[in-house]
Every structure is written in C-alpha cells, then in structure tokens.
Amino acid sequence: MDAPLPPARLPDSVRRRLLPGAALLWIERAWAAGWLQGLAAAWALWIVLALMGVTGALPGVLRVALAGALVTGSLAALGLAAARVPLPDRDAVLRRLEAASGVRRGTLAVLDAPALDLADPMAARLWGRALADAPLRLRLGLPRLQLDDGARWGALPLLATGLLLGLLLAKGDAPARIAGSLSPWPTPLSAARVTLTVTPPAWADAAPRTIAIQPGATQPLTALAGSSLRLRGEGLDGPWTLAAPGATARELRGGVGVVRVTRAGRLTLMAGARRVAAIDLSLAADAVPTIAFDGAPQVTPQGALRVAWRLTEDQGPATVWLELRKGGERRAVRLAADARAGTGAAFADLTPDPLAGEVVALRLLARDGAGQTGFSPTVAARLPERRFVHPVAREIIAARKLLIRQPRAREAVADRLTGVAGRPDRFGTNLAAWIAVRGATFRLAYDRDEPRGASIVRLLWDAAVDLEDSGASRAMESLRAAMEEMRRAMASGDERAQRAAADRLAQAMADYLSRQIEGMQARGELTPGQTLDTSFLDAMMADIRDRLAAGDEAGARAALADLQRLMESLQFGGAGDPRLAERAAAAAAAAQSARDIAARQRVLQADTIAEAIRRAVNGAQGPLTSEAARQAQLRDQAAAIGAAARTAGLPPPPALGEAATAMRAAGEALRAGDTAAAARAQERAALALAEAGQAMEAQAQALRRQAGGAGLAQPGAPGSGIDPLGRPGQGFGGGAVRLPDPAGQARLQAIRRLLEERAADPNRSADERAYYLRLLKRF
C-alpha cells in the first residue's frame, strides 16, 4: 500500500475534491483488476430480467433466494476488492484531478508543497497571489472503465439490447418491477387486492360506492361523519391490521374490517409488517339546515292547521317539527319525517292540544340526520279550536278546559263530570263515551300520580269527539297515519311494503268515508238507501298505485300529497239550504279578507319600524303622514268587512272591533310621530285581524254543516275545494298548468303510439305489457 497522505495544505475548493477523486480512482483500479466487471454484469442481467417480467414470474421463495444470493455475492466481491486494491495516495489523486480538469501537470503538487519559506512576509504575499491566480476549478469527470474486446462486442450489446426491450415491455411499471425483484417478501405487493366500500349514513341522499385502491398507494377520500368504511384485503400473507385515526391498530378477521367515520385522519392497512395501502380521510361538509314559513299557517275545513315551509338541506332529508310556545309551556309536533329540500307542507290537527284557541308563538325546526337543527323565525297565531254542537260533548269540553286551566280544581271537575255521567240517556247508544267519562271521574278522585291530569285531558277529548261525530275524527287520524306510512314505504323502495301500505291507506280512506256517511245519515242529510259518488277518490288512489308500479316515485309522492290536501279540504254536503250556503260563502270571503288585511297590516308595521330606525339615525321628528294614510285605508277596509258580514246576516266577531280600536290608535300615534306606540298598536291590530279571520272561518264551517246536503261535494262543485279534474283547488299550492306547444304535443303522441305498440305486442311478457299499459295512463 502507498504511503499515507500528508496533511492537507490545499485550499478548501481543492480539498473537497480529494475524497470523490480518490473514490473514482479506486473504482478505475478495481475495474481494471476485474473485480467489478463481473459484479456490474450480474446486476445488469438482473435488472433486464426484472424489466422483462422474468423475476416476477418466478416463485416467491426462489426469487427471494436469487436476490439474496446476488446481494450477498455483491457484498463479498466488494469486500475482496477493498482488501486487494490499495487506496490511492494524495499525489495520485492530484494527478487524476489535473488530468480530468485540463490543468498542467504538477500544478496542484506545487500548491500542496510550496518551495518557499512562508515565514517571510514577502514570500507569504507572493504565495497568496499565486493561489489567487491558480486555476482551481476542478472537474472529476466520469470513471474511465476499460472493456476488453470480448465484453465490448459480446456482453455489452446483449445487455444493452435486453435493457431496451425490458423498458419497452415494462413502460410505466419499470420502477415497480425493479423494486419488486429486490423485495424481501416472497409475494410481491402488486399481488395485493384492496377494495374499499363507502356506505353513507342511512339519512344521506347518496348510494354506497366501491373503490379499488392500488397496492402501495394513498387514497384520498371525503365522507360524511357516520359513514361506514368496509376494507377488504386479499392476496398477501400475514395478519391484516388496520390503524384508524384515534385508535390502536386492530387485526382484521379474514382481511375484512369495518370502520365508522367519526373524525378525519389517515387509515393505514398492513399485511404483517408491510404497508399495503393508506386512506387520507377528510369529513364532508354538512351544513345546518335552514327553514322558514312559506306563508301564514292556514286552517282547513277539517280543522287541521296546514303549515307550509321552505327548506334548505344539502345532504339528505330532514325531520320538520312545529314548536308551540306560550308562557312557560313549550312542545313540538312532528310535521314530516323525511322532508326534502325545497318547498313542502303538512297538516297538523292541533284542536286536541290544551293550547287550542290560544294565541301562541309558532316556530319551525328542521333537524338533519347528523342531529343539526335549524330554526325559523317565530310567528304568532291563534291555534284552531273545534266548535262542538252535541250538548253533552260541550259539557265535557267545558270540564276539560277547567282542568287544563286549573289543574288543582280536580274536585270541581269531578263534580261536573259526575253530573254529566248521571244521565246516561243523553249519551244515546254511545256507551263507550259514557264509560270514558265515568273513568275520568274516578281517576280525578283517586289517581294522584299525574298532578296535571294530561292523560285525563286526552280521555275527555276522545269522549267528546266520539259523541260529536261518531268516530269520524278517529278515522281521520287513522287516515293521516296511513298516509304517513305510505310516504315511508315510498322512501324505502320496497314494492311489497308499498303495496301493503297502499292497501291500508285505501282501507283507512274507506273507513273515514263510511264514518262521514253515517254522520250524514244521522243528521238526516242522507236517506238510508242513498249513496255517495266517490269514484274520483278511487281514481286518485289508483293513480298512486299505477305510478308506484311504473317506478314513478316522485309522481306517486306528488299524487299522495294531492290526495291528502283533498281529504283535508273535502266537504260533505253541498246541495242543502242555498241561503245557508250563501251565508257560508260570505263568511268564508270575509275570513279571507281579514287575513289579507292582517298581512298588509304586518307590512305596514315593518315599514313603521324601519322609518323609526331611520329617524333615530338622522334625528328627524314629526308626523308620519304617508304611513298614517295607509293605516286609515286599512281601517276602512276592516270596517267594510264588518258591514258586509252584517249585510249577509252574520254577527261580526268581537275581534274585528278590537282590530278597529287598535288601528285607530295606530293612526293617531302615526300622526303624532310616536312610532313606538304606533308599532305596538299595529301588532295588536294584526293579531285581532287574524283572530277575526279564524272566527269567521269557523262561522263558515258551521254554516256549511248546517246547510247540509244530499252527498259529497263533487269535483268542480261550488265550495268543494276540488277542481273538475279532482285536484285541490285554489289555495293549495297546485301551481299553474302549462299546456304543451305543438312540438311537445307531437312528442307526446309519438310516445303514446310507441307505448301502445309495445303494450299490444304478443311477443312480450304479460308483466311487461301491463307495465306499458300503466305508462299509457300518464299520457
């Protein structure tokens, strides 16, 4: 071995090249000695075989053994070369750098060992100047590897050709094939199969999806909280484990694991000690639903409250509730279990509620599947109150109201009910109602577990209603429940459940109609042998069935909504006393006018408040002339309602006089410039007008019942609430009908001809022809 290198005196720019230069020089010497030529040939052959897919086709154990032998042999060859090929000395390295950089030979040697006495200041300055002028931009160059003629013209062309062919065959898989050939695992990672199934929460409007993840890849994924992730790994040995965010790794039985999405993070799938795949999980955005009233709640002829809304929800249906508040009382009534984004409406029978007849604060709540709740602005309204005619029912309801308002007056209520039940003959044949009153009396005296008597209040209501309409109200509740079940069956997509729900709905509707017919017969409105024409209801029910059978779920939902609106607005009778019918129509018109004026009063109140804010900002004062004139106009219109009611022989409700007083006070406050007093008076006027509208609507309903009639009001008949095609009439949100243009009519005729041809084709199955016949009903 040469003498060791002396201490370095060269500049740093030269010394940094010494070690790489020594390595290159040692490689050239070892190559010339033959130690590295065979090693390079073996690795080149292995890479060619890997690119061509040969190593990947070998059995896993054999490939690992061959790769291990190659690596071991390479290390042994390098060890022998290091032992037998000496390290180059400093002078040899400097000479190699000079040759590679084109520097005159001996220049670096002179810089390394100057023939000057550097202790002399003049000599040191001369030496520094020489270093500054010396060409020190050195290059290492490539190693000079010499091949003999046999390798140059035999092995090298063959290996180069094989490498080119391998690259053409492997294409983009070249790095993976080379890495796989050197993997210490018998089974390559490419043999793994990883599938991910993402199942959104049941409340989301999204279908499950399956993703195939490439082995070794990281899959980005966005999912809703509450989603289910099912991972399945196959093709590799070793126990499969999965590490989820915020949890320790757990073993997957059979390579299958399920994870519930609760937070963002990375999921890592392992097979033994190998990382097979990863999932970068992020949570999908889920906004809080927003909801608002779509117009003021309306009372239907059946006494239910129709509530319409506008809903915004981004991920699926929401549950809509109507919250009632008065004083310390607060409760919520569910309107819809699966309301979709957009407009919607539902009917709620609030006449049994203890707050019926009271002015309450109403607010809509929309809760999505994730538990997020949105609230609407609060509106004030008087809940509908049922007017009873049966004398015993009226006494029961009076006792019930006393119990609601004074829960501690149980003895007084019990005494009243004892007097009611003391004359069983007044109950007629309705023994169940008499038993209910007796049971309520006993519970008031001896049952102290329920201080407020909520269950007794419900029992008394059921007894009074049963006396009043012979079970028609209970049948209506069953009909509403059947419609809700029908909606759930439509959402499920289960055809068997849909058919069963449709059968129960038809039965509930028939029971309701039979109860109404019994009531009409008891009141003398129908003779014993007389029947009602309900064919239009049967047609609507058949339409729902046909749409479901044809797969038109959206159309079936719309048809069911039309049917419910119709049943809620359906009026029995219509051909009785014409004078009473005219008075009923006048009362209904007066009720609508009162509601319209109440709405305009609300607008004027909002304008008054806005003007008050503007004046407070600007410091302005004085009368509000324009607003006072508008208030006077509204007062005159309200007075016209009372005059029209008296002309029709109807007593104006007291609330109408209260509204006139409040509107007069509002006008005086506006002329005096007192915006605060004006706004308060306008609030009283709006509430009184709404109450007057409800009172006159109740008068209209009572007059319709007194008018009697010979049967069910048919579609298109005055006061029926139904158009000639059996659809709900004005006020029920049916929307405008757009007739098709000539091109649209031609397309409809072409579709109809095609359906008729297919329905008549004997080569088609009976089920398929029946399907086309159902579709023909759409055209």
Side-chain angles (χ1 to χ4, degrees), residues 174-186:
R177 290 190 179 187
I178 295 174
S181 70
L182 298 173
S183 172
W185 309 99

Side-chain angles (χ1 to χ4, degrees), residues 644-700:
R646 284 187 289 270
T647 301
L650 301 172
L656 198 59
E658 297 173 5
T661 301
M663 296 169 86
R664 186 179 301 106
E668 293 173 355
L670 290 170
R671 286 189 293 273
D674 189 351
T675 55
R680 289 194 296 268
Q682 288 167 341
E683 175 69 19
R684 295 194 302 272
L687 290 175
L689 285 167
E691 183 178 351
Q694 291 185 0
M696 285 184 284
E697 183 64 36
Q699 285 185 10

Side-chain angles (χ1 to χ4, degrees), residues 355-549:
L355 293 176
E358 302 285 340
V359 177
V360 300
L362 299 179
R363 184 172 66 163
L364 288 171
L365 284 70
R367 183 174 295 116
D368 63 12
Q372 303 178 112
T373 304
F375 303 92
S376 74
T378 301
V379 299
R382 185 178 296 276
L383 296 184
E385 184 178 15
R386 181 165 184 166
R387 309 294 182 182
F388 288 84
V389 177
H390 195 287
V392 179
R394 296 176 67 175
E395 293 179 23
I396 295 173
I397 291 300
R400 176 180 178 267
K401 286 185 176 180
L402 178 60
L403 180 60
I404 292 173
R405 294 169 181 168
Q406 302 179 33
R408 296 183 179 180
R410 298 170 72 96
E411 293 183 3
V413 176
D415 290 341
R416 285 194 181 189
L417 294 178
T418 300
V420 172
R423 295 182 56 187
D425 57 297
R426 301 176 66 198
F427 288 81
T429 60
N430 199 330
L431 182 60
W434 180 81
I435 293 175
V437 173
R438 291 292 296 169
T441 305
F442 179 84
R443 292 180 59 184
L444 283 169
Y446 299 104
D447 185 2
R448 303 296 179 180
D449 295 334
E450 196 176 34
R452 300 187 65 85
S455 62
I456 301 175
V457 168
R458 290 193 296 270
L459 181 61
L460 292 175
W461 174 266
D462 291 340
V465 169
D466 202 36
L467 280 170
E468 180 74 15
D469 57 19
S470 302
S473 295
R474 290 200 311 272
M476 188 63 188
E477 292 177 5
S478 300
L479 179 58
R480 290 176 181 133
M483 289 183 176
E484 181 63 26
E485 181 186 1
M486 188 76 230
R487 272 188 287 270
R488 290 195 298 268
M490 289 178 181
S492 70
D494 186 342
E495 294 183 2
R496 180 177 300 177
Q498 290 173 356
R499 288 194 296 270
D503 292 341
R504 284 189 287 271
L505 175 57
Q507 181 60 43
M509 190 160 61
D511 182 52
Y512 172 69
L513 293 174
S514 68
R515 297 279 184 167
Q516 290 285 10
I517 291 172
E518 290 175 5
M520 294 174 68
Q521 290 175 343
R523 295 189 297 269
E525 298 170 4
L526 280 180
T527 59
Q530 193 175 5
T531 60
L532 295 179
D533 181 11
T534 59
S535 58
F536 66 97
L537 295 175
D538 297 335
M540 294 185 74
M541 192 67 220
D543 181 55
I544 293 174
R545 293 180 186 271
D546 290 343
R547 288 180 183 275
L548 287 175

Side-chain angles (χ1 to χ4, degrees), residues 29-286:
R29 291 180 178 182
W31 182 273
W35 292 104
L36 300 184
Q37 294 186 31
L39 185 61
W43 278 100
L45 178 60
W46 182 263
I47 292 174
V48 169
L49 294 176
L51 292 174
M52 291 185 173
V54 176
T55 58
L58 295 175
V61 176
L62 178 59
R63 179 187 55 77
V64 172
L66 292 176
L70 178 61
V71 173
T72 303
S74 301
L75 294 176
L78 288 174
L80 290 173
R84 299 189 180 185
V85 177
L87 295 174
D89 60 11
R90 191 184 188 89
D91 292 337
V93 174
L94 292 176
R95 288 194 297 273
R96 188 187 183 298
L97 290 174
E98 289 172 345
S101 304
V103 178
R104 186 165 37 185
R105 186 171 182 177
T107 301
L108 298 180
V110 171
L111 294 176
D112 190 32
L116 294 171
D117 182 8
L118 297 182
D120 183 10
M122 180 60 69
R125 285 195 295 272
L126 292 173
W127 179 246
R129 179 61 180 272
L131 288 177
D133 296 340
L136 300 182
R137 295 183 179 179
L138 303 178
R139 295 188 298 273
L140 293 174
L142 296 174
R144 296 189 289 269
L145 306 179
Q146 301 295 327
L147 297 175
D148 56 26
D149 291 341
R152 182 181 297 110
W153 306 110
L156 183 61
L158 289 176
L159 290 174
T161 303
L163 182 62
L164 180 60
L165 290 176
L167 290 173
L168 292 176
L169 290 173
K171 297 182 180 178
D173 292 337
R177 290 190 179 187
I178 295 174
S181 70
L182 298 173
S183 172
W185 309 99
T187 305
L189 189 61
S190 59
R193 294 184 303 277
V194 181
T195 55
L196 169 65
T197 301
V198 184
T199 304
W203 48 264
D205 278 339
R209 53 195 172 112
T210 300
I211 303 171
I213 302 178
Q214 291 295 326
T218 298
Q219 176 71 38
L221 177 67
T222 301
L224 284 168
S227 298
S228 174
L229 306 183
R230 184 179 184 271
L231 274 166
R232 182 180 184 88
E234 300 174 291
L236 297 180
D237 299 327
W240 290 82
T241 57
L242 178 65
T248 58
R250 59 189 178 93
E251 185 173 347
L252 308 183
R253 305 182 68 178
V256 178
V258 178
V259 177
R260 183 73 58 183
V261 176
T262 58
R263 57 191 294 184
R266 171 166 290 192
L267 285 76
T268 305
L269 183 64
M270 306 285 292
R274 304 176 72 178
R275 177 186 177 277
V276 180
I279 301 172
D280 275 342
L281 178 63
S282 58
L283 296 181
D286 184 12

